Amino acid sequence: MPELPEVESARSVIERGALDRVIADVDDTDSWVCRPHRAGDIRAALVGRRLTVAHRRGKSMWCDTSGGGPVLGIHLGMSGKIVIAGVDGGEIDGGDYWEGRRVPGDYRWARFTITFDDGGRLMLVDPRRLGRVRLDPPVEALGPDAAGIGQAAFVRAVTGGITPVKGRLLDQHLVAGIGNLLADQILWQAKINPAVPGDEITSAEARRLFRATRDAVGAALRDGGVHTLPIIAHRRADGRCPRDGAPMVHGTVGGRTTWWCSREQVTRSRDAA
DNA sequence: TATAGTGTTATCGG
DNA sequence: ACCGATAACACTAT
């Protein structure tokens, strides 16, 4: 389930398997996933064109289209995957990262399908229907991508306000691409309690968060997704901190289930090293 | 069998 | 207007 690294994998699936092929048909009839358009609107806008470039910012993807066509926006939601099927229906590419229990070739939950003129297909496979497909998505509303943001911009984004710092890390308008698991990893690595208000984060702590973000995003991109991050296996009832062995504890922060080290992440910002 | 969940958006109440 | 909490989406995993 996708955060920035998984979405980047999906983007590369599109890039290596779907660009510059002529679109012959589009199934946009799932009006929950494909909106706010009426069924057929996306089809009418795409048939006869080609996808030319696949972009990503945070967890959002979008493709330019040929001939002055609209931009095709794709968001994977919580359970979406991009899958390329061959002419015979066999699965050619479902991405390099962890796929849960999904069996290649299982297209039961295809919510949006582009069929190319050779019969091959690009599908958004999304059991929970939390993904979204739309034309001309509002990409400019997103903050800078977490994989490339500079330190100054990052520090500005995560400090200030009375909202818990984890909530700021998760706010896609401030920094784009950090999800619940990346946020827990970043805060654990930086040894900061997730509930500390943004305006109590010191500049030293903000710099630690920046480095942890760069490290965690880079490691997840390299190692196969956010589930490979060090703290993730310890987000469980009998989990212990891999650094000091203290019990991991959990609660709700920023509306999401949050796990942290009971010893290293309890201090308020003014007490931190 | 029951519950929680790697995401986002709208809505409600303070 | 800001902020947080909640529901909704529909299926899977524990």
Side-chain angles (χ1 to χ4, degrees), chain A residues 154-161 165 168 197-199 201-203 205-206 209:
Chain A
F154 180 90
V155 168
R156 232 177 292 129
V158 300
T159 57
V165 62
R168 300 186 72 87
D199 62 7
I201 295 293
T202 67
S203 55
E205 288 174 326
L209 286 170

Side-chain angles (χ1 to χ4, degrees), chain A residues 43-195:
Chain A
R43 178 182 191 282
L46 295 183
V47 168
R49 300 186 192 277
R50 291 169 284 110
L51 306 180
T52 55
V53 187
H55 306 271
R56 182 195 60 75
R57 181 155 161 191
K59 306 171 198 170
S60 293
M61 293 183 285
W62 65 99
C63 296
D64 297 335
T65 60
S66 62
V71 171
L72 175 67
I74 302 175
H75 196 291
L76 300 178
M78 217 158 173
S79 61
K81 279 187 67 69
I82 295 296
V83 173
I84 305 285
V87 175
D88 60 359
E91 186 159 326
I92 289 178
D93 195 351
D96 301 326
Y97 286 2
W98 181 74
E99 301 184 3
R101 294 283 171 84
R102 179 177 173 274
V103 179
D106 179 358
Y107 308 138
R108 277 180 298 163
W109 313 122
R111 310 299 192 183
F112 173 76
T113 301
I114 291 175
T115 303
F116 299 104
D117 61 354
D118 64 1
R121 284 174 289 166
L122 175 152
M123 284 170 275
L124 169 63
V125 176
D126 179 18
R128 291 180 66 177
R129 293 173 90 206
L130 297 169
R132 293 292 178 266
V133 176
R134 57 164 299 176
L135 300 176
D136 300 316
V139 173
E140 64 285 347
L142 294 169
D145 188 75
I149 188 173
Q151 177 168 294
F154 180 90
V155 168
R156 232 177 292 129
V158 300
T159 57
I162 62 174
T163 305
V165 62
K166 179 172 180 180
R168 300 186 72 87
L169 288 170
L170 292 174
D171 186 339
Q172 305 300 302
H173 305 285
L174 298 175
V175 183
I178 300 172
N180 199 33
L181 296 186
L182 264 171
D184 276 7
Q185 169 67 32
I186 290 164
L187 289 157
W188 174 77
Q189 191 172 327
K191 301 185 183 179
I192 292 169
N193 186 283

